[in-house]
Amino acid sequence: MRRLQISHLTTYEYADTVTLLPHRLLLRPREGHEIRIESAELIVAPAHQLQWQRDVYDNAVAEATFTQRDKRLSIESHLTLQHYDSHPLNFLVADYAVRFPFQYDAAELIDLGPYLTTIFTQDKLQLSQWLRQFWVPGQVVETYLLLEWINKAIATGFTYQQREEPGVQSPATTLAHHAGSCRDFATLFIEACHYLGLAARFVSGYQYSPGLMKGQGSTHAWSEVYLPGAGWKGFDSTTGEVVGNNHIALAVSRHPELVPPVSGSFIAATDQTPVMSVMVEVTDISAMPLAHAL
């Protein structure tokens, strides 16, 4: 088990006082048998009302409705959690899905429909050409190995670029430039899965990187593929890894542009673009006694 502390601060500085419209915050990790939250604190300014809800994907959503105008918006999240997914390769795929291609069970297929639908339909030709190095129609291959080949090919064959622009690149753009951000790589992997008939979805969250300086971390994005018998398994196409206890999922979605950690808008008397700052720290506190960790 790994214990992690996460601090995430997002600020927006405006040139003039603005009216803040409701903001949607996806900052509480998805709990389950592998993640347990010890404590969670969300600090938002200016004055506001906070309403918690669950969306269609069962993500925890906090909607902030602001009651005063301001020149600054601050959203601060502090988390302490226990992460038990220390053996991410310890899973078994159902016999009928061990080898690709396979057909999902009819009962599951109904629910998996949204996760099988191609998002960038115009990019099918580029995807099919790129995927021929891994699989061609008529070939039979181990399902997990196929996913691993694709995942590692993106991690090792493409250049990572941090992009501040909202949204994601199309798979064709990522393939053409051989470069992109973590969300672009996740989108390429997801669309490759869709092309192959595998259910896949987008994940927004945090990553703990042991190689970074103490306290450092980052927001991150990766993919999950539904494997019968194993469930939703995470693949990080930025690192080429199967997702384990270095990854903390905040939200999942069928579409890569639907789950940013913070989203919202404002009304201003003049045209202006706020100055945004994001600071994330993820610290491993596994060695600290539980009673003294908070």
Side-chain angles (χ1 to χ4, degrees):
M1 183 265 286
R2 168 171 281 162
R3 296 180 70 237
L4 296 168
Q5 280 187 340
I6 303 167
S7 295
H8 181 177
L9 173 63
T10 301
T11 60
Y12 295 88
E13 302 282 352
Y14 303 91
D16 301 300
T17 300
V18 301
T19 298
L20 294 164
L21 298 178
H23 277 57
R24 188 170 182 262
L25 314 179
L26 289 162
L27 296 170
R28 184 179 179 89
R30 290 173 61 85
E31 294 181 85
H33 66 275
E34 76 280 5
I35 289 183
R36 299 175 188 172
I37 297 175
E38 291 183 20
S39 66
E41 183 181 23
L42 186 58
I43 306 167
V44 181
H48 64 283
Q49 294 178 341
L50 207 61
Q51 180 70 46
W52 284 94
Q53 56 189 256
R54 292 278 179 177
D55 67 9
V56 69
Y57 304 104
D58 202 33
N59 300 316
V61 183
E63 184 171 286
T65 304
F66 298 92
T67 56
Q68 72 177 55
R69 303 174 75 239
D70 211 307
K71 293 179 64 175
R72 186 176 190 270
L73 169 60
S74 173
I75 301 166
E76 189 172 357
S77 172
H78 298 283
L79 298 160
T80 301
L81 56 86
Q82 301 170 14
H83 205 322
Y84 290 84
D85 194 9
S86 56
H87 301 288
L89 294 177
N90 185 21
F91 65 88
L92 293 174
V93 178
D95 289 345
Y96 74 89
V98 169
R99 296 192 174 277
F100 179 86
F102 66 88
Q103 294 293 324
Y104 285 109
D105 181 86
E108 292 186 326
L109 194 59
I110 296 173
D111 297 311
L112 292 174
Y115 306 104
L116 288 162
T117 303
T118 300
I119 301 168
F120 297 88
T121 55
Q122 71 278 11
D123 293 356
K124 281 189 174 182
L125 177 60
Q126 293 92 328
L127 273 171
S128 66
Q129 292 173 341
W130 182 67
L131 284 170
R132 284 174 189 165
Q133 62 186 301
F134 310 110
W135 179 81
V136 294
Q139 181 182 1
V140 176
V141 63
E142 188 176 333
T143 305
Y144 170 75
L145 282 180
L146 176 60
L147 293 169
E148 185 179 51
W149 292 338
I150 298 170
N151 195 44
K152 288 188 179 297
I154 298 172
T156 59
F158 292 70
T159 301
Y160 173 79
Q161 293 178 340
Q162 188 170 356
R163 292 196 306 108
E164 300 299 334
E165 301 89 350
V168 297
Q169 292 180 166
S170 69
T173 300
T174 303
L175 288 170
H177 295 164
H178 261 73
S181 67
C182 57
R183 62 186 186 275
D184 300 325
F185 294 162
T187 300
L188 173 58
F189 184 86
I190 289 167
E191 285 294 82
C193 289
H194 290 165
Y195 179 85
L196 295 169
L198 297 171
R201 64 188 184 183
F202 184 86
V203 187
S204 171
Y206 300 114
Q207 180 185 25
Y208 170 67
S209 300
L212 295 178
M213 293 177 61
K214 182 179 179 180
Q216 288 187 330
S218 64
T219 56
H220 196 43
W222 59 94
S223 319
E224 286 182 345
V225 182
Y226 186 76
L227 297 175
W232 290 100
K233 300 302 297 182
F235 291 82
D236 184 345
S237 298
T238 302
T239 64
E241 300 173 343
V242 175
V243 169
N245 60 10
N246 288 339
H247 294 72
I248 305 97
L250 291 174
V252 301
S253 173
R254 64 172 181 80
H255 197 289
E257 296 183 349
L258 295 181
V259 285
V262 176
S263 60
S265 56
F266 65 93
I267 299 173
T270 59
D271 289 338
Q272 57 176 291
T273 301
V275 178
M276 183 181 72
S277 173
V278 178
M279 297 177 60
V280 177
E281 290 188 353
V282 183
T283 306
D284 189 336
I285 58 167
S286 301
M288 297 176 62
L290 278 167
H292 302 93
L294 304 182

